[in-house]
Structure formats: C-alpha cells, structure tokens
Amino acid sequence: MEKTIADRTVTVNEEGFMTDAAQWCKEIGEALALEEGICMVDRHWVVVEYLRDQDAQGVPMSIRKIKNSGVVDIKEIYQLFPKGPLKVASKVAGLKKPASCL
Amino acid sequence: MSDTKGKINKMLIILSKSTLENVYACFVLANGARMEGIEAEIFCTFFGLDAINKKKLDHLHTATVGNPALNMPTMLGGLPGMEALASSMMKKEMEKIDMPDVHEFLDILSASGVKLWACKLAMDMFHLKKEDLYDDIDGVLTVGEFYGRGEGEGTHMLFI
C-alpha cells in the first residue's frame, strides 16, 4: 500500500515497513522514527546506515551480527531502539522486517 | 487483560534441564522476546543449572536415548560416543545458521537485558556457589521470589 511520509509517497506493507529501500531518504527515516517515539541522534543514524549497508550487500541481519559488527554493541542498540532493536531500526532504515529468530 | 488486549509484556522462562535442544529453545525464546521489546527472565532450576554452570555450559549434550525425534534406535543411542557424536553434529548445524554457542549466547542474553536467575534450592542440592556460575548472573532466587518477578499485566510463564 502507499503511504505519505515526510511529503513523499512510498510503498509500505501492512506493518508499516517500506517495501522498496530505494525510496528511502533521511527525512523519511526521521519521520518513521518519530512514529516509533524515537528522536534520531547521531548514534541512531550510525546504526541505520550500517543496516542499510549490510542490506545492500545482501547480508541477513541478526543480533549476533550486531554484536560482531564493531559499529554498535548489543547494549547500545537496545538503548537506541528499546522497543525492538533490529525490528524498529530496520523499519526506520526503510528495510524489510528481519526474518531471523536470532 | 482488558487494558493490554492480551499483549505480552514479560516472559518468565523456567529452564529445568540442560540438553542442548532445551537450552537453545529457552535462549532463543528469551532472545526473541527481547528483540520484540518484551522483557524476559530465565530461572534455572535442577539440571537447568548446567546451562549457567561455568564448568558445564560448554559441554552440553543432546540426548540420544529417550529422544524419539532423533529417529535412532534406543540401543544404538546408548553406545559409547553416540551422544558426543550427535551433539557435535548438532553444534555444526547450529553454526551453519549462525547460532552462537552457549557461552556466547549467554553474553548476548545478558547484554540484551535478559535477567538470569539461579534457583536457590537446586544450588543447595548440587552444592553450588554463585562463583560456580556464569559471571553475569543476576542472582540466586527462591521460587517465591521468582514468582514475585511476574507482577504486572501481560506476564507469561514457560516451563522448559
């Protein structure tokens, strides 16, 4: 379905995850974060950029990958996205919901 | 219930045995809860204590006797070395799907905010001290104290 975020029209699924990562921009990320009650600061963007980079390389994400990322540790990602680190961070990053159970 | 519409806010998981499959089920469920923003706590009792016992947690096995899911004749499962073989095969498969080993999984759970508790009665029974346990354990609790952790709406309890 279509949704207007930050004055742009993007396609999202029924859970509000963007279905085309190419439609994403920082303003959209900021608006999606606000919907989740998150005010983006530098460290949020570092995580979002890391996730988008990994996604572009086709690497499936898991909490273990975060642990070994060298970009952010598990404690910090929970502080940044307390309602679900990978799930919410992926949503803000304009990516699909992570399919892994780990 | 009416306010939360059945939403799960906290998972209390009791781990009572430490075969690989039970420990991983418990850890995956606890981690999965945290990943959804749900609180999670694990209470290790009786043989479940092995999963947080420093001397044992790196050497957990899968049961080859009395485990019908393995499709292995019971007599065969009892042969020397069979349990070690099945366990090492299972660990290899787990590594393939990026599953951490028990020690690393405990590190992940602890960093993710999962509370790890040891059962006082079982500790006494097995003559264990807190120093014998994984370093980042949150404490030793009685059953009553563990139940006390379940206060609030949307708390669910699992026995593994």
Side-chain angles (χ1 to χ4, degrees), chain B:
Chain B
M1 182 66 101
S2 56
D3 284 346
T4 57
K5 297 193 175 75
K7 188 176 172 293
I8 300 176
N9 291 321
K10 188 191 266 190
M11 289 301 300
L12 295 183
I13 305 173
I14 300 161
L15 181 64
S16 68
K17 38 199 169 309
S18 289
T19 58
L20 271 182
E21 61 270 32
N22 283 297
V23 170
Y24 274 95
C26 173
F27 286 6
V28 170
L29 286 163
N31 177 62
R34 293 298 299 126
M35 297 280 280
E36 294 294 322
I38 297 167
E39 284 182 61
E41 307 200 4
I42 298 172
F43 183 68
C44 299
T45 185
F46 279 80
F47 297 110
L49 275 177
D50 285 359
I52 51 170
N53 183 334
K54 270 184 205 158
K55 281 199 187 121
K56 299 196 170 175
L57 63 90
D58 287 321
H59 312 285
L60 301 181
H61 277 181
T62 190
T64 48
V65 173
N67 185 353
L70 277 187
N71 283 320
M72 184 185 283
T74 296
M75 295 290 284
L76 202 62
L79 290 175
M82 201 50 88
E83 204 167 84
L85 178 70
S87 302
S88 97
M89 279 167 66
M90 193 138 121
K91 282 177 184 169
K92 267 185 205 144
E93 289 303 316
M94 285 173 168
E95 187 59 40
K96 275 189 212 160
I97 56 166
D98 203 28
M99 186 87 97
D101 64 31
V102 173
H103 201 283
E104 187 187 351
F105 216 147
L106 282 169
D107 293 343
I108 290 174
L109 293 175
S110 178
S112 302
V114 174
K115 293 257 185 283
L116 299 165
W117 305 110
C119 166
K120 184 169 186 312
L121 188 64
M123 292 274 287
D124 292 346
M125 192 178 127
F126 293 121
H127 310 291
L128 290 170
K129 296 189 203 68
K130 202 165 174 250
E131 304 85 80
D132 298 320
L133 303 178
Y134 172 74
D135 287 336
D136 287 332
I137 212 88
D138 287 276
V140 181
L141 297 184
T142 64
V143 174
E145 287 167 334
F146 180 64
Y147 280 146
R149 314 263 334 152
E151 279 177 8
E153 282 186 79
T155 297
H156 290 240
M157 204 173 287
L158 271 183
F159 183 85
I160 297 178

